[in-house]
Amino acid sequence: MTRLLDKTDAPAPATAPRTPASRTARRTALLHWIAVHSLGVAAALFFVLPFVFVVLTSLMSDQQALTRDLTPNTWEWDNYARVFRTDGFLIWWRNTLLYAGAGTVLTVVSSIPVAYALAKFRFRGRKLSLMLVISMMMLPPQVVIIPMYLFWAKQMDLSGTLWPLIIPMAFGDAFSIFLLRQFLLTIPNEYLDAAKVDGCGELRTLIKVVLPMAKPGIAAIALFQFFAAWNDYFGPQIYASENPAAWTLSYGLESFKGAHHTDWNLTMAATVLVMAPVIAVFFFAQKAFVEGVTLTGVKG
């Protein structure tokens, strides 16, 4: 009679013995995980700690800001109100918003058609045009500042204003054109051909098909331009330094620091107020910004 094996009689599954090689591999993986995350934490602290120091100093009293204390004894939130009450600070805000906002809109609107033509059109001189755009990216602004200043200040009589910085943005930006062109290359031509078969012209194809698909790339160039204009110090120094009513935050902050060179708490509070909008914009648009940048190098 055949004896049936029940579950209790079944032999236990054999377990693989832990060899020295497997233990070494696990130990190596653990050390690799610790090393990678330690470097990440160290890099994060390297960038975050200066900002934390600025914020903590901005909340100190006038006397404590001159000491070696790292944390405020009393949290002086009124420092930010004192900065806003400084003569000219709100004017600097208004000028910076005008410069960054108008400049970003003009750059995006003027760069999109050029990038679309370089990415999707086939015409004689296309490669030469692209090379000219790239060469303009490599040209430092200091090289052309003298003839540009003579034109805007002497011929157009616009010195002491921000218009010499805003108006040229209506004619495109080389970096924005190149970056957006690289992104548009990732859009398959089949979508454009289908739109043209349905009767769309080039302009309608651009508006109805290309722009909705190019939102990450457009967001990337818009953020790049907004950050560049918001933090620009060289341009306002050249064109608007003679007129305090046309100063921006970046240039006005230098004047504020000179007037409050011993009040480090107020200087740090003004610095936080200048940085806060840029940080907020990047925080809310981070996903579109990263996606637009990472997809620009798929095709050449």
Side-chain angles (χ1 to χ4, degrees), residues 15-36:
T15 58
R18 294 185 177 181
T19 63
S22 63
R23 290 195 294 269
T24 302
R26 285 194 296 270
R27 189 180 301 111
T28 303
L30 178 61
L31 293 176
H32 180 266
W33 186 89
I34 294 175
V36 170

Side-chain angles (χ1 to χ4, degrees), residues 140-215:
Q142 291 81 2
V143 174
V144 297
I145 190 61
I146 294 178
M148 291 292 292
Y149 179 80
L150 292 177
F151 173 76
W152 291 110
K154 303 301 181 181
Q155 302 297 326
M156 304 300 295
D157 195 22
L158 290 176
S159 62
T161 68
L162 294 175
W163 293 113
L165 301 173
I166 297 175
I167 295 176
M169 297 182 185
F171 300 95
D173 174 70
F175 177 75
S176 300
I177 292 172
F178 178 77
L179 189 68
L180 188 58
R181 181 254 182 190
Q182 294 300 109
F183 185 88
L184 294 180
L185 288 175
T186 65
I187 299 178
N189 293 329
E190 288 76 8
Y191 290 103
L192 281 65
D193 296 337
K196 294 175 182 177
V197 170
D198 291 339
C200 293
E202 294 292 350
L203 180 60
R204 190 176 179 185
T205 301
L206 173 62
I207 296 175
K208 296 294 185 179
V209 179
V210 176
L211 292 186
M213 300 179 67
K215 286 182 180 179

